Amino acid sequence: MRDKSDRNAQGRIVAEVALVIYPDCQLSAIYGLTDLFRLAVTAAHVAGERDTPIIRITHWQDMGDGVACTYDSHPGNPHRAQYIIIPPSLIMPNDLPSMQGLAGWMTRNHEQGAILCSVCAGAFVLAETGLLEGREVTTHWAFADSLRARFPKVKVDADRIIADDGDIITAGGILAWTDLGLTLVQRLLGASAMLQTARFLLIDPPRQAQRPYSSFIPKLDHGDAAIRAVQHWLPAHVAAEWSVKMLADRAGMEERTFLRRFKAATGLRPTEYVQQIRIARAREALELTRRPVEQIAWEIGYGDPSAFRKLFIRITGLPPAEYRRRFGVARHAPADAPVQI
């Protein structure tokens, strides 16, 4: 990997990732994620991207009179955080002070479309927003009972490394910031940049079965909260049966109104949007596993492998088998074996 700063790469900023510094947080996660995202941009540049996507990295801290930016990799542009990450804590979660200032700041950004993320005990800070109520989240196994006791309406599953609920992503384990970081790299820059970053850092790809879509980057900053809620629901239920009426009911609209507003907000019809999400998930499975194409098709909601292949070719330009031959990294591993870099 060439030592080329993302400041010098020619490209466009595709997302601002905001890292939150709070009392006694794990600073190695803050600076490790900062470096990971910069290396990922370099990986995308080395891969030959003509219009290299840039990840803007910012650090934020409650200064007492408000939450302020203390570091900005690309200063000069108005802030619009697409992802906010709460790092682990170096003290026991029960000793963490209340952080209502940060909670209010995160809530306001979430209302503007930001996806909120936490690592390990960072889930306790994130839970103060109230946005985790009724959600499935993860944290370090040793803190799971404390999280349940302190926030009884939160559904804690400490067996998962990554719990992706669309607009809320939580990671378990004090070093799971690498899993979360690579998960976001794959979402923003694609699987190739994620794998190149993992190789360079000598770490495994994200240790989770359900990774987010990679190359398809949905438009979330359109300001239509009802449509955005549907967008957040869809990736977490990629194989579910759906209809326009069901999605319209979730948004609290008549079907005709929903179709008009969904297209205006996302640029796609609901059918096209769901296809993009499903094919992105299929691409990931083809790249990182040896599961049969028919099984992958079924897992993302297509009972007819022939129809799946036609759609895959239409969206990617390649048949699934050819796509795997070109981009797969698990060609010689057992079908369900984790990928080793």
Side-chain angles (χ1 to χ4, degrees), residues 296-318:
I296 292 172
W298 181 83
E299 288 173 349
I300 61 170
Y302 293 106
D304 182 355
S306 177
F308 162 72
R309 285 187 176 91
K310 290 178 181 178
L311 177 63
F312 192 93
I313 292 171
R314 179 163 66 81
I315 290 179
T316 69
L318 293 172

Side-chain angles (χ1 to χ4, degrees), residues 316-327:
T316 69
L318 293 172
E322 176 63 21
Y323 185 91
R324 170 173 274 161
R325 279 192 291 270
R326 291 195 185 186
F327 304 109

Side-chain angles (χ1 to χ4, degrees), residues 279-292:
I279 294 304
R281 194 68 56 83
R283 290 174 58 184
E284 174 189 315
L286 290 166
E287 290 163 352
L288 302 177
T289 79
R290 292 187 64 247
R291 294 200 297 276

Side-chain angles (χ1 to χ4, degrees), residues 36 173 214 306:
L36 184 149
S214 55
S306 177

Side-chain angles (χ1 to χ4, degrees), residues 62 67 98-109 116 125-131:
D62 190 346
V67 178
S98 177
M99 298 181 223
Q100 288 301 310
L102 280 176
W105 177 79
M106 288 188 288
T107 300
R108 291 190 294 275
N109 277 274
L116 305 183
V125 180
L126 184 52
E128 290 199 45
T129 64
L131 296 170

Side-chain angles (χ1 to χ4, degrees), residues 16-22 58-62 67-71 79 81 102 105:
E16 178 180 344
V17 177
L19 307 175
V20 175
I21 299 174
Y22 60 89
T58 53
H59 297 176
W60 296 80
Q61 190 169 358
D62 190 346
V67 178
C69 180
T70 59
Y71 167 81
H79 291 291
L102 280 176
W105 177 79

